[in-house]
Amino acid sequence: MKRPLIAILTGLLLCMNVNAQELKKATADFSDYISLLKKSGYEIYSFDISSLKDETYLISFMVKEYSNGELVRDKNKGGTFLISNRDMIEDFPEESQKRILSEGTAYDSEKGIYSLSEKLTIGFCPAIDSLRKVNMSVVNMGEMARNLAMKPLSAPGYEGRYMYDIRPFQLGNIQIGGFTPLLLFGSYWYDEQKQVVRFCGENAFSPDMASPTLKLIPHYYVIGVYVMKKNR
């Protein structure tokens, strides 16, 4: 009688052990897609501009192209696309103002703010041939896009290949009435001494563009914003 009882107990214990290690289906959330998107060539960077919320500013994204350390093109020269960081209730017709206040759809009706952006984003799409698209957004207010043309490497063993990387600039105060650099999109270069292709140096560049590394990068773009106070 003992042997069958032991066998039954052993079977029950085995079943309990299997149930404790059971694999169940889970629902994927957005965080599960991040590594996949990065591997596919998508990258996005966010910047907090909530410090601007007490005034109305006009923001223009600027893309400056450099070759061998020299500025060769400012993609916004000759025309800019201005995006406001906020819309005020008083900017609407009187009837619309009454509707906004009655519906309670304003961001902050006490301060007269209808809508407000507290963040900038700069996102990169996967490269297609020699082009990589960058999307620049004043979140909830407006956005623009540019195609960045890349140049092929001429390094031994890498001829014709497009190899670029992204580095941020050190962040501090937003330059009002001036240019604030945010990101650098630049080409790898050939290190003759070590005989390797590389893209390294600072983890974040100084906004004064004084880094000696910038003289080594043969081709790069500096992406940033020009912010000015709106005259009412």
Side-chain angles (χ1 to χ4, degrees):
M1 294 293 293
K2 291 183 178 180
R3 217 173 259 180
L5 180 59
I6 292 172
I8 292 171
L9 290 173
T10 301
L12 288 172
L13 288 171
L14 288 172
C15 289
M16 291 175 65
N17 189 48
V18 169
N19 290 333
Q21 298 175 353
E22 182 181 359
L23 183 65
K24 296 181 180 180
K25 184 178 180 181
T27 301
D29 57 28
F30 182 74
S31 63
D32 296 316
Y33 289 89
I34 293 176
S35 62
L36 179 63
L37 290 170
K38 286 185 176 180
K39 289 178 181 178
S40 299
Y42 292 95
E43 296 185 70
I44 191 163
Y45 298 82
S46 298
F47 304 90
D48 187 336
I49 59 167
S50 59
S51 62
L52 301 178
K53 67 181 180 180
D54 293 330
E55 298 284 349
T56 302
Y57 295 89
L58 297 176
I59 301 171
S60 175
F61 285 101
M62 302 183 73
V63 180
K64 299 185 178 186
E65 183 180 2
Y66 291 79
S67 180
N68 298 317
E70 298 293 330
L71 178 65
V72 295
R73 184 185 305 177
D74 182 342
K75 284 185 176 291
N76 290 84
K77 190 173 183 180
T80 57
F81 179 52
L82 301 175
I83 306 172
S84 177
N85 68 312
R86 67 179 193 173
D87 288 329
M88 306 301 290
I89 296 174
E90 65 182 28
D91 294 332
F92 290 84
E94 187 174 344
E95 286 302 315
S96 297
Q97 292 183 37
K98 293 178 181 179
R99 176 178 54 78
I100 290 169
L101 293 173
S102 65
E103 294 177 351
T105 55
Y107 174 86
D108 189 335
S109 58
E110 291 185 2
K111 293 184 177 180
I113 303 173
Y114 175 68
S115 59
L116 172 73
S117 178
E118 298 187 35
K119 183 168 64 174
L120 305 176
T121 62
I122 300 177
F124 293 82
C125 297
I128 300 177
D129 297 325
S130 63
L131 296 177
R132 191 159 187 194
K133 183 178 180 181
V134 57
N135 289 286
M136 300 161 282
S137 171
V138 180
V139 177
N140 298 325
M141 299 300 291
E143 63 181 54
M144 61 185 296
R146 289 282 187 271
N147 284 321
L148 305 182
M150 299 180 289
K151 295 184 178 181
L153 290 172
S154 57
Y158 292 87
E159 292 88 350
R161 293 180 61 178
Y162 300 100
M163 297 178 64
Y164 279 67
D165 209 336
I166 303 165
R167 288 288 187 278
F169 281 88
Q170 298 167 7
L171 298 179
N173 293 330
I174 300 172
Q175 299 300 312
I176 306 302
F179 177 69
T180 302
L182 299 174
L183 295 174
L184 181 143
F185 177 66
S187 172
Y188 279 64
W189 72 88
Y190 183 67
D191 187 327
E192 293 185 1
Q193 183 177 359
K194 297 183 179 180
Q195 296 186 340
V196 294
V197 169
R198 57 186 292 197
F199 189 97
C200 55
E202 296 89 338
N203 291 325
F205 289 109
S206 172
D208 62 8
M209 302 283 289
S211 169
T213 304
L214 296 178
K215 297 179 181 179
L216 300 174
I217 305 174
H219 180 240
Y220 61 89
Y221 296 92
V222 174
I223 304 167
V225 288
Y226 187 95
V227 180
M228 61 182 176
K229 193 172 179 178
K230 183 178 180 180
N231 294 322
R232 304 187 69 80

